Amino acid sequence: MSILEVENLSVSFKQYTDGFKEINHKVISSLNVTLEAGKILAVVGASGSGKSLLAHAILGILPSNANVSGIIKYEGKELTPIRQTALRGKEIALVPQSVNFLDPLMRVGNQVRTSVKNGDAVSAQRKVFERYRLGKEVEDMYPFQLSGGMARRTLLSTAMVSDAKVIIADEPTPGLDPVVIKEALDNFREFADNGCAVMLITHDIESALQIADKIAVFYAGTTVEIAPVEDFVGNGEAIRHPYTKALWRALPQNEFRPIPGSQPHPSSLPPGCLFEPRCEMATAECRQAPPKMRELRDGMVRCIHAT
Amino acid sequence: MYKSKGRKLGLFILMKGVRMATLLVAICFISFLLVKNSPIDPIQAYIGADMLKVGPEQREKIAEYWGLDQPVMVQFLSWGSAVLKGDLGTSMIFRRPVSEIIGERFLNSLVLMIAAWLLSGVIGFIMGVVAAMKKGTWIDRMIKWYCFTLASTPTFWMGLLILIVFAVWLGWFPVGMGVPAGVLSENVTMVDRIQHLILPVLTISILGVANVALHTRQKLIDVLASDYVLFARARGEQGFVLFWRHGLRNVALPAITLQFAAFSELFGGAVLAEQVFSYPGLGQATVEAGLRGDVPLLLGLVIFSTIFVFVGNLLADLSYHLLDPRMREVRKL
Ligand SMILES: Nc1ncnc2c1ncn2[C@@H]1O[C@H](COP(=O)(O)OP(=O)(O)OP(=O)(O)O)[C@@H](O)[C@H]1O
Ligand code: SF4
Ligand SMILES: [Mg+2]
């Protein structure tokens, strides 16, 4: 059952160039994702493809100069700013990207306690720290005293104690040591197995494939494909979108062939399909208008030629 | 662990002390040379308006009495060794030991400066917080306008303005001095003293808030845009609770440091305000000593104000070491 639906979300930023000219940076365009209870949706995409902004849009914590359109529904009802304010931290929790998201001058134990919405905050915090093997002394530490792994587990603890039904994790997997990554992934699987809906934002398609149920692939601020993990096998025949196929082939254990070119900047998006400038299958038709998201073989794809 | 921490702090203070000492020697020497080479004739300054009645013989006697006939280096060394023994010499205009005058004046100034320091610190901090929380609104624009324009007004001008409005026109406060004129010192009440303090304190504070206010505003704007405030909002915190938990301590720390580091401006402000209000503090004494060529007093004041400003900077550094957990606590891993 879907618990959170994002339909046609667009986010743009008004910016002024030197000549007082106002330009609209469209950083997310017509984006769709759905989260289901008990399932992990992995969101993969290159840096700057709008993954963090999607998370912030769901929580209603975008900066004030952001323009948002589209509909976000939570438990079937529209998620208005008022509902967002009421629900964030209680029903929808964020696991942020890095230790910078902890207040540098506040002891981490206290920071976890402020996330507890029901019951005794101190005992809830101690229990979750014990569970994540954070020693008794950690609660009195400041963020700068934590190692990378301890910081991850502290950030996870804030989501854990909140009893939220939807967990949005913005994962910084590169640079973390494999043991820590494995542990974090297991923790998310556990959240899902307890009935939470998990959105796992990551660069790392390989680790996403290990634990996710579905993969949403982002490109230049939109979803190009949503596919079950089972489709990522062999030479990627089951994969729908040319970008996803290219990502799959670029993995070391496959062809290890990088995709030429780079993601377009939000200020100069192509008029038609956003992937068109780099697509091997592109035709004149692809330049006409942005393709619509459509269903295909138990998944979704934004490509007119996909089969 | 704590032992090494304590040793580190001790070393820090020791290094500061050495710097202070060398700085003082240099400043003394330079000031001494400057005063000696200035057009002020100390003998004339000593005698004042009675100059005409003094013959050259008497002049020589005076010069001999004060040691003014010796070479400059000898004068400096004899003064310097006296200073090292704790004797700052005798003021020419007050005819009393310099240390006594400074001690007495310093108490008056200290009350004035502490009051102004606290008032400008607290009000400036609140102004900065309000401006940042209401960024872009008319309140913010007013506070910014105030800080940029009014606060750059010269102190003596602001002092005169306040004097004219509150003391002359409205008559709410006495016109000047530290105590009422013509009242025996044992009859001067606390209320009298406070009444005489209010206008000079107000003058220094009105101008002193700008720095703290603008700095606090910018710092809080940065903090509110930080990742940790974003995450706090994601956890459902908002409004005053958010400011109290995450804004206040992250902003107060640099504000306190800044306020300590502003001791030199405080001293400068006090000098001018005391002059305008004829308040018998260190600042007024400095102006007198300068104008009338009272070399021992002037040099004593230079030493003292240097120490004062240095202590301010030391407190600024120490406040950072003691209050910021990133400085205070050693990494435990
Ligand atoms: N406040 C803002 N104003 C203007 N543009 C912004 C703002 N915040 C983000 N962007 C732009 O939006 C785009 C998407 O940013 P986002 O942070 O969502 O990327 P991401 O996919 O999370 O990247 P990463 O993997 O590096 O975290 C980027 O091009 C970024 O420059
Ligand atoms: S729509 Fe055209 S350009 Fe875009 S991905 Fe499909 S084939 Fe490539
Ligand atoms: Mg991101």
Side-chain angles (χ1 to χ4, degrees):
Chain A
M1 194 198 77
S2 63
I3 181 163
L4 191 112
E5 293 154 77
V6 177
E7 291 167 19
N8 242 327
L9 181 77
S10 293
V11 177
S12 58
F13 287 101
K14 265 202 197 110
Q15 276 177 344
Y16 295 90
T17 50
D18 11 297
F20 295 105
K21 225 183 79 185
E22 191 187 302
I23 48 167
N24 241 344
H25 276 192
K26 202 160 190 188
V27 290
I28 291 186
S29 33
S30 332
L31 186 146
N32 298 286
V33 286
T34 304
L35 296 185
E36 286 170 41
K39 295 276 160 73
I40 298 180
L41 173 79
V43 170
V44 296
S47 193
S49 57
K51 303 181 300 292
S52 295
L53 288 179
L54 168 66
H56 297 173
I58 293 172
L59 288 155
I61 52 172
L62 286 171
S64 54
N65 63 332
N67 275 319
V68 186
S69 68
I71 296 181
I72 304 175
K73 284 189 196 157
Y74 177 71
E75 291 185 327
K77 274 182 290 174
E78 187 176 345
L79 198 52
T80 56
I82 296 170
R83 279 189 85 207
Q84 280 172 327
T85 312
L87 295 180
R88 62 179 171 235
K90 284 201 201 78
E91 309 230 330
I92 309 177
L94 177 72
V95 180
Q97 235 172 343
S98 77
V99 68
N100 292 344
F101 286 78
L102 291 174
D103 187 333
L105 297 186
M106 197 170 170
R107 295 182 195 278
V108 294
N110 282 337
Q111 303 199 50
V112 173
R113 285 171 209 162
T114 61
S115 304
V116 181
K117 303 297 170 191
N118 310 304
D120 180 17
V122 178
S123 70
Q125 172 261 315
R126 298 219 164 121
K127 229 160 72 196
V128 77
F129 271 23
E130 202 173 313
R131 195 153 175 281
Y132 285 141
R133 289 176 293 102
L134 290 165
K136 188 96 180 52
E137 68 288 352
V138 178
E139 64 181 53
D140 285 330
M141 287 187 183
Y142 290 92
F144 79 99
Q145 294 167 308
L146 303 178
S147 68
M150 288 158 90
R152 288 298 312 149
R153 281 178 263 153
T154 306
L155 291 170
L156 264 176
S157 304
T158 62
M160 190 72 187
V161 294
S162 68
D163 284 333
K165 292 188 209 157
V166 174
I167 308 277
I168 300 175
D170 206 345
E171 273 294 294
T173 20
L176 275 188
D177 86 81
V179 183
V180 179
I181 296 179
K182 172 85 174 62
E183 182 188 272
L185 294 176
D186 291 346
N187 291 139
F188 290 123
R189 189 67 254 174
E190 206 180 295
F191 270 124
D193 292 344
N194 290 335
C196 288
V198 178
M199 182 164 117
L200 178 66
I201 295 172
T202 175
H203 287 189
D204 179 4
I205 194 166
E206 286 182 270
S207 56
L209 291 172
Q210 288 169 29
I211 60 149
D213 299 294
K214 273 188 183 171
I215 309 278
V217 181
F218 273 33
Y219 185 75
T222 195
T223 28
V224 292
E225 174 163 5
I226 297 174
V229 275
E230 298 80 39
D231 290 353
F232 291 79
V233 284
N235 288 327
E237 297 87 355
I239 302 174
R240 296 156 192 79
H241 197 277
Y243 176 61
T244 321
K245 283 189 205 264
L247 272 185
W248 176 248
R249 282 200 303 265
L251 290 181
Q253 69 272 35
N254 299 332
E255 289 170 38
F256 205 21
R257 182 156 55 92
I259 321 165
S262 62
Q263 186 173 256
H265 190 262
S267 60
S268 54
L269 294 180
C273 172
L274 297 179
F275 189 57
E276 183 269 328
R278 299 168 75 186
C279 183
E280 289 174 349
M281 290 164 56
T283 60
E285 209 186 333
C286 303
R287 271 185 288 269
Q288 304 299 317
K292 294 230 161 5
M293 199 75 174
R294 62 186 169 100
E295 289 194 24
L296 182 69
R297 292 186 281 110
D298 198 26
M300 307 271 281
V301 67
R302 193 187 292 280
C303 168
I304 46 178
H305 298 306
T307 49
Chain B
M1 183 175 79
Y2 286 101
K3 210 170 156 196
S4 80
K5 190 72 196 160
R7 202 186 300 152
K8 230 173 86 190
L9 197 66
L11 193 73
F12 170 77
I13 293 177
L14 186 78
M15 288 303 291
K16 286 270 167 187
V18 171
R19 282 229 327 252
M20 166 91 240
T22 43
L23 183 73
L24 266 183
V25 170
I27 283 191
C28 284
F29 189 65
I30 293 170
S31 322
F32 193 83
L33 283 184
L34 280 177
V35 172
K36 279 289 155 200
N37 289 309
S38 73
I40 296 168
D41 176 1
I43 298 174
Q44 183 178 359
Y46 170 63
I47 300 164
D50 302 334
M51 187 65 183
L52 288 174
K53 296 175 202 150
V54 181
E57 252 168 63
Q58 279 165 301
R59 261 189 87 93
E60 235 165 71
K61 278 227 172 91
I62 297 171
E64 201 181 322
Y65 177 74
W66 292 109
L68 295 173
D69 52 349
Q70 305 285 322
V72 174
M73 254 346 254
V74 176
Q75 285 183 37
F76 178 70
L77 286 179
S78 71
W79 174 75
S81 58
V83 168
L84 283 183
K85 283 184 221 131
D87 174 18
L88 286 167
T90 308
S91 159
M92 289 173 162
I93 47 179
F94 293 98
R95 317 259 150 92
R96 278 164 56 205
V98 167
S99 50
E100 214 178 288
I101 295 170
I102 291 182
E104 177 186 305
R105 292 295 181 112
F106 179 60
L107 273 187
N108 287 341
S109 282
L110 194 67
V111 179
L112 179 71
M113 286 193 285
I114 285 183
W117 189 79
L118 286 176
L119 198 69
S120 61
V122 171
I123 293 180
F125 185 73
I126 293 174
M127 277 167 68
V129 167
V130 170
M133 297 293 273
K134 303 274 174 199
K135 185 183 160 209
T137 63
W138 62 270
I139 300 183
D140 178 34
R141 278 199 291 277
M142 283 230 323
I143 292 177
K144 262 188 348 203
W145 174 83
Y146 175 87
C147 291
F148 283 130
T149 56
L150 211 62
S152 53
T153 328
T155 311
F156 67 90
W157 193 84
M158 177 59 70
L160 281 178
L161 198 73
I162 285 185
L163 193 74
I164 291 170
V165 174
F166 290 100
V168 180
W169 288 355
L170 297 172
W172 290 354
F173 298 100
V175 173
M177 319 286 281
V179 292
V183 177
L184 286 177
S185 62
E186 55 263 36
N187 294 338
V188 175
T189 62
M190 197 65 190
V191 178
D192 284 331
R193 285 185 188 281
I194 292 176
Q195 275 203 334
H196 282 81
L197 258 179
I198 291 177
L199 291 187
V201 166
L202 200 65
T203 305
I204 304 176
S205 308
I206 282 182
L207 303 173
V209 293
N211 236 343
V212 191
L214 286 176
H215 183 273
T216 304
R217 175 182 179 274
Q218 190 51 49
K219 183 76 197 170
L220 186 55
I221 287 173
D222 292 348
V223 167
L224 290 178
S226 70
D227 286 341
Y228 56 88
V229 165
L230 188 82
F231 184 42
R233 292 207 292 136
R235 284 179 292 165
E237 293 180 24
Q238 55 181 324
F240 186 73
V241 175
L242 182 72
F243 167 74
W244 189 252
R245 276 199 196 136
H246 305 289
L248 186 63
R249 61 184 106 193
N250 281 287
V251 175
L253 202 63
I256 291 173
T257 308
L258 186 79
Q259 193 65 353
F260 275 119
F263 262 32
S264 59
E265 278 145 63
L266 187 69
F267 195 83
V271 169
L272 295 165
E274 284 175 9
Q275 191 59 22
V276 173
F277 292 95
S278 324
Y279 186 87
L282 276 183
Q284 206 207 20
T286 313
V287 175
E288 297 257 306
L291 289 179
R292 295 176 58 186
D294 189 342
V295 178
L297 182 57
L298 196 59
L299 290 177
L301 285 165
V302 166
I303 294 179
F304 189 80
S305 54
T306 308
I307 294 178
F308 181 76
V309 171
F310 196 86
V311 166
N313 287 333
L314 187 70
L315 287 177
D317 283 339
L318 281 181
S319 72
Y320 226 87
H321 273 87
L322 296 179
L323 296 177
D324 192 329
R326 284 162 292 191
M327 297 286 217
R328 190 180 61 215
E329 304 212 359
V330 211
R331 207 184 159 92
K332 287 178 182 157
L333 290 165

